[in-house]
Every structure is written in structure tokens, then in C-alpha cells.
Amino acid sequence: MGRVNATTPSTGAGAPDPLADFAALRTPEGAALLAGLREYDPAQELATATRLRRTHPPALVSAALGQARLRQRAVAKFGAEDAYRMFFTPNGVEQATRTSVASYRAGRFAALGVRSVADLCCGIGGDAVALARAGVSVLAVDRDPLTAEVARANAEALGLAGVIEVRCADVADIDTEPYDAVFVDPARRGGRGRIFDPEAYSPPLSWATAAALKAPRAALKIAPGVPHEAIGPEAEAEWISDGGDVKEAVLWFGEGFTPGAYRATLLPSGATLAAPAPLPAPPVGPVGRYLHEPDGAVIRAHLVASVVEECGGRLIDETIAYVTSDAPCDSPYVSSYEITDHLPFHLKRLKALLRERGVGVLTVKKRGSAVEPEEVRRRMKLQGPNEATVFLTRVAGAPTMLIGGPVR
């Protein structure tokens, strides 16, 4: 793949030309302008733009400032080293998989011997980059010309153009038969924001599933809040968290995966919890000395019952994903707390207790409560050298406050 030819940016005299503006960023002048904006402060954008327009075309300055903002946002997902070499679109930054998750997923493919993947709906190419770095050759496809051009630029910028072929096409027109696996990342945002109905994805989940079932192996990236009933029995469903935040769900198909299984994977540790089928409801009982908060991926995967069994515990309420036990539980899938007080919900009583104990730092967690943590902290008027955690929740259906602190 060759570089985009140098192109004069749109001047504003006619309709905007995003492709021309992007191509201008890749000329020596555009590259130098971008390099000089690495540390720029968006709050000073007007002054910066005024200064740069004295020596550069206005359209190029606007494109460079926009790209500089996107690169700053992308650091959280891609890391500074890659983000400041790559190119982005607003939707591309929003929808791209963070590198840690993409690398984990690429590693699962590579471990099964996958050496070529058709990456359908590739966006700005983040997943293609992770696959290529895992030793997999990639056909990256997107129907939007600008997005495809950005993906091609990223492959070149990261030295991966030899193993990533970018094609601007409709994914429905792609013959995936020559590839070991298919990866589909449907668009889940529209003109009105996030899309929750899997059949409103672009392409719809039903189309993506049909494409996956034709391939020897496949993975479909979906929203972590997808209803379990929307997941077909042919898929192994995996929820992935990174640093405690649930980032995505992925449906795996084909050899090496377990149809009907549910899995939760926690990054960066890589700890993974799986069940071959949906689990029975766990027992419910009184609050013990310890309270365990399952990782969000475990909750989304409906694997809390596995944690209950591992901890020798029980739920505090049949509708609440807090696990309690009488003994400590050393598990990578939970954050554990030692409970000192179990009280009916009453904020005045909580305020008096915290003041009595000299609590100046309060962590408020809630599950099954309509009260907002910020409102609780504001009303407590905290003072003192000590710390505490309060859980606003339900126990056996009753609004409850559980007070304690993390198990060290």
C-alpha cells in the first residue's frame, strides 16, 4: 500500500472535503504541524489557531487542531507512543477497542493457530493493529472512505502495512472463505448516540452471526449490556473488564470455543472464570463478617454463583450482586471488605456514626439504592483522620447500610 498523495486541503470556498483535509495532514507540512501540537492546550485553541494561520492554510490548521485533540483523547486507549503516531476520527476514538483488550482478543486467536483474519467494520484499525502484532495477517474492511483511509494510514504509521491490507468496501461484499477467522465489530452508535438494540447495529447482530458461522473461527464484538437472550446457543460469550471497568463483550464461534458457555476475563491479570452453561441461582442469607463485590465482568456474565461457591458464601439479597461470607475469600474476581456495622438505611444515623469515629474520607458504593453517592458525601460533612466504606443496598429486601473497609 502506498501513501496518500499530497493533496491541497479544502479552503472553505466549497463543500468540505474530509479526504483532502486528511491527506493534507500526511504531507510534510501537515506532519510538522501535528508534531508541534502534541502538547498544545485545547483551552488555548483560539490563540493557537490564530498564530498558526499566519503561516499555514486555515483548513490545514483546523484539521491539525482537530487531529491533535483526538490524539490526546486516544492516549487513554492506545498509550502515548502509539496515539501520537496514529490518526483518528471522532467516532473512531469513541468506538475503538483499547489496546489491552484488543491484544488479549488477538492473543486468543493466535493461540489457536489463526494466521489470517478478515476484520469487518475495522474502523480506524485498532483491532487490526493488535492482530498484526500477534502475528496475524489482516484484511481490514470499512465502507466509509475516510475511515478506511485512516486505517491505512495507521497501518503505515505503525510499520504494519505489510501485514494489514485495508479495503474500502461493504462488508457484505467480502469473500471471507480464504481467511482462518472473521472478526466483526458492528457500529453501535448512531446519530442519536449509543444503540442498545443488537438488530440496530450496523451491520445487525443477526448478519454478523451468520457471517461468523460461515468461518472456521470468528469473534463478534458487542456491547457488554447485551441481553443474554440475544446471544445464540452457538456462541461462547465472554465479558472483559480492564482495571475493574467492563469494556466489552465478545462472542466466539468455531473450533476451540465452547458453544453456550459464559466467561468473564479480568485484565490486566488475565484471570478468567467460565461456566459451560447458565448457573443456578445462588443461596441467599444473612450478612456475615465479609462482603465481596464481584468484578463487573463476572456480574455481566451471570457468574456470581461461581464466586458465591468459591467464597463459601451467599447473596445478601436475591436481586443484589453482593456476596457475603463468614471467612475471608482470596479470589481475583472480587474486591473484599470487612463489615463492622449493619444498619437500616438512615442518613442522620450514618452521619452521627462517622463523626463519632472521626471519618474524614468516605467511599460510598451502592447497589439497589436510588441515593446518589455524591449526595451522601455532601450531607455527611466529614472530618477526621480515618477512612470508611459504606454500602447503600438492600438486605432481604430492606434498605440497608453496611459499613466497613477494604480487606488489606
Side-chain angles (χ1 to χ4, degrees), residues 95 121 143 185-190 195 198 200-203 221:
Q95 298 192 37
C121 311
R143 70 181 180 182
D185 181 6
R188 295 178 302 284
R189 294 188 72 87
I195 296 171
Y201 292 173
S202 180
K221 177 180 171 182

Side-chain angles (χ1 to χ4, degrees), residues 28-380:
E29 181 183 10
L33 193 54
L34 266 178
L37 288 170
R38 175 166 176 155
E39 305 297 337
Y40 108 101
D41 181 0
Q44 302 297 319
E45 181 164 326
L46 180 59
T48 303
T50 301
R51 174 175 56 80
L52 292 175
R53 283 171 180 156
R54 297 185 187 120
T55 52
H56 300 282
L60 178 59
V61 171
S62 295
L65 288 169
Q67 193 60 226
R69 289 193 302 271
L70 293 174
R71 284 180 167 183
Q72 289 179 353
R73 286 172 54 194
V75 168
K77 287 188 174 183
F78 292 90
E81 184 177 352
D82 280 353
Y84 285 108
R85 291 189 289 166
M86 295 173 69
F87 298 90
F88 302 96
T89 65
N91 283 341
V93 170
E94 185 71 29
Q95 298 192 37
T97 308
R98 65 172 50 206
T99 294
S100 55
V101 178
S103 298
Y104 162 76
R105 197 188 319 101
R108 281 202 82 181
F109 267 142
L112 290 170
V114 169
R115 292 295 173 261
S116 62
V117 169
D119 178 2
L120 309 181
C121 311
C122 69
I124 54 93
D127 287 288
V129 166
L131 287 162
R133 286 174 169 171
V136 178
S137 64
V138 185
L139 170 66
V141 182
D142 202 284
R143 70 181 180 182
D144 178 67
L146 175 62
T147 302
E149 204 58 60
V150 170
R152 183 175 292 110
N154 287 335
E156 295 177 6
L158 299 178
L160 299 169
V163 286
I164 299 176
E165 175 194 351
V166 179
R167 192 178 301 175
C168 183
D170 191 310
V171 295
D173 297 331
I174 299 300
D175 177 13
T176 61
E177 187 174 354
Y179 299 89
D180 296 340
V182 166
F183 174 66
V184 189
D185 181 6
R188 295 178 302 284
R189 294 188 72 87
R192 296 185 176 182
R194 196 176 302 277
I195 296 171
F196 297 98
D197 178 7
E199 284 307 296
Y201 292 173
S202 180
L205 181 59
S206 57
W207 182 92
T209 299
L213 292 172
K214 295 176 185 176
R217 295 184 179 92
L220 310 183
K221 177 180 171 182
I222 57 175
V226 66
H228 279 225
E229 55 268 25
I231 299 170
E234 312 92 344
E236 174 186 305
E238 180 177 28
W239 283 260
I240 304 170
S241 68
D242 189 12
D245 295 327
V246 183
K247 294 302 179 184
E248 72 171 56
V250 58
L251 305 182
W252 299 96
F253 299 82
E255 186 179 351
F257 307 110
T258 306
Y262 292 83
R263 180 182 298 274
T265 298
L266 283 55
L267 301 178
S269 71
T272 189
L273 184 65
L279 299 171
V284 180
V287 176
R289 182 177 177 182
Y290 296 94
L291 190 75
H292 313 289
E293 183 179 27
D295 184 90
V298 173
I299 296 172
R300 293 282 194 179
H302 293 186
L303 294 174
V304 173
S306 288
V307 170
V308 169
E309 182 178 1
E310 180 181 357
C311 293
R314 54 207 174 264
L315 296 182
I316 63 171
D317 185 284
E318 63 180 6
T319 65
I320 303 294
Y322 282 140
V323 179
T324 188
S325 66
D326 302 313
C329 177
D330 184 15
S331 168
Y333 306 110
V334 300
S335 299
S336 294
Y337 300 81
E338 187 170 5
I339 299 302
T340 57
D341 300 88
H342 174 185
L343 305 169
F345 177 79
H346 196 288
L347 289 183
K348 286 186 177 179
R349 188 172 179 184
L350 176 63
K351 181 178 179 180
L353 186 147
L354 297 176
R355 180 175 295 175
E356 176 186 322
R357 295 183 182 174
V359 172
V361 178
L362 180 67
T363 300
V364 182
K365 292 177 171 286
K366 70 165 193 168
R367 190 161 288 159
S369 172
V371 181
E372 291 301 324
E374 285 302 323
E375 173 66 10
V376 174
R377 278 190 287 267
R378 184 185 67 80
R379 292 178 61 176
M380 291 303 101

